Amino acid sequence: MPSLTPKKILIVEDEPEIAKLVKLYMEKAGFHANIADSGIEALKMIKSERPDLMILDLMLPEIDGIEVCKRIRTSPDTALLPIIMLTAKAEESDTIIGLELGADDYVTKPFSPKALVARVKALFRRLERTNDQTQSSLSFGTLVMDLARHEVTLNGKEVSLTAKEFGLLEHLLRQPGRVLTRDVLLNSIWGYDYYGTTRTVDVHIRRLKLKIPLLDEAIISVKSLGYKLSDQVSEK
Ligand code: CA
């Protein structure tokens, strides 16, 4: 179903020429685009009007793209905001840090604006697929979660999970490749008023890995933030 309102994109870039060019191409592609010329400005803007996707330059004055990304991911309100990072070739190690901290994709400068538009569209498509609430099942390799029957099978054999383990696994399966912070998981599965600590999440992740060996390598711990499900099923 095509959406009636154009998707909103926030471009965070301190170089006005690049920002304007990206805005132009995004608008040509049918998106609504705004520019923030610093990380602080971007963080302010997403509070007043939530974009559907952020294009975030790595090199920004005051706080850089990595820090912006980290702050967005650790705040439950914005944790799932899709982010494409813009980086320069020389910053490849920073790029990896950026992806670890939860950027969904990255584009290396210099880039063609058309290619960036294609990446934005691809990310929206990917997210629409995984966020589809009408799906009756979710899967990861030989692991299948039947949502209607509330049943999980591995290689066709039923795995017995507690309600919390089921909820945790469902969140991971719905967002492959995306970093989910402990706070976000705790709030959405245990609820805001849950009296516990983020360690609860670690304990449940460990139990899931014990019950489903396939997840042992597939659930990746992201330094100081939380967890993500690998977006690729390992052959093992
Ligand atoms: Ca820059």
Side-chain angles (χ1 to χ4, degrees), residues 6-12 22-23 25-33 51-56 82-86 104-107 111-129:
K7 286 210 156 58
K8 287 173 286 192
I9 298 187
L10 180 60
I11 302 153
V12 191
V22 171
K23 185 177 195 286
Y25 271 81
M26 291 302 149
E27 285 172 346
K28 271 211 284 192
F31 298 118
H32 179 82
D52 296 298
L53 184 145
M54 178 183 268
I55 296 171
L56 176 62
I83 298 175
I84 296 181
M85 222 169 216
L86 297 180
D104 296 286
D105 200 358
Y106 71 95
V107 170
F111 57 89
S112 100
K114 269 190 189 167
L116 181 58
V117 168
R119 298 288 271 277
V120 167
K121 287 182 177 170
L123 181 54
F124 275 135
R125 276 197 304 273
R126 199 173 99 201
L127 296 173
E128 265 156 32
R129 261 199 321 271

Side-chain angles (χ1 to χ4, degrees), residues 108-223:
T108 311
K109 284 177 172 180
F111 57 89
S112 100
K114 269 190 189 167
L116 181 58
V117 168
R119 298 288 271 277
V120 167
K121 287 182 177 170
L123 181 54
F124 275 135
R125 276 197 304 273
R126 199 173 99 201
L127 296 173
E128 265 156 32
R129 261 199 321 271
T130 52
N131 289 342
D132 183 2
Q133 299 291 325
T134 62
Q135 273 171 301
S136 60
S137 72
L138 300 165
S139 65
F140 184 79
T142 54
L143 179 68
V144 179
M145 174 176 273
D146 186 323
L147 293 164
R149 300 170 71 172
H150 222 265
E151 209 175 76
V152 174
T153 55
L154 181 66
N155 292 313
K157 270 189 211 152
E158 195 176 342
V159 184
S160 161
L161 297 180
T162 66
K164 300 297 184 210
E165 289 164 355
F166 190 92
L168 189 55
L169 183 59
E170 182 181 347
H171 269 73
L172 290 162
L173 292 175
R174 282 191 189 279
Q175 312 275 343
R178 312 202 76 203
V179 176
L180 301 168
T181 65
R182 288 182 180 82
D183 281 328
V184 167
L185 289 168
L186 201 63
N187 288 336
S188 46
I189 298 160
W190 280 266
Y192 281 90
D193 51 1
Y194 175 71
Y195 186 75
T197 66
T198 47
R199 239 189 69 77
T200 308
V201 176
D202 300 331
V203 171
H204 281 76
I205 289 276
R206 215 173 307 138
R207 285 198 204 134
L208 264 185
K209 289 182 169 199
L210 281 173
K211 287 186 178 178
I212 305 167
L214 175 71
L215 297 177
D216 192 33
E217 279 183 21
I219 298 178
I220 302 159
S221 163
V222 181
K223 278 178 286 182

Side-chain angles (χ1 to χ4, degrees), residues 69-83:
C69 192
K70 196 170 164 188
R71 291 195 195 176
I72 288 172
R73 286 292 177 257
T74 47
S75 162
D77 292 344
T78 55
L80 296 177
L81 176 67
I83 298 175

Side-chain angles (χ1 to χ4, degrees), residues 12-15 18 37 57-61 86 91 109:
V12 191
E13 168 64 272
D14 56 320
E15 288 159 78
I18 297 178
D37 61 7
D57 188 35
L58 181 65
M59 298 300 281
L60 293 167
L86 297 180
E91 297 159 351
K109 284 177 172 180

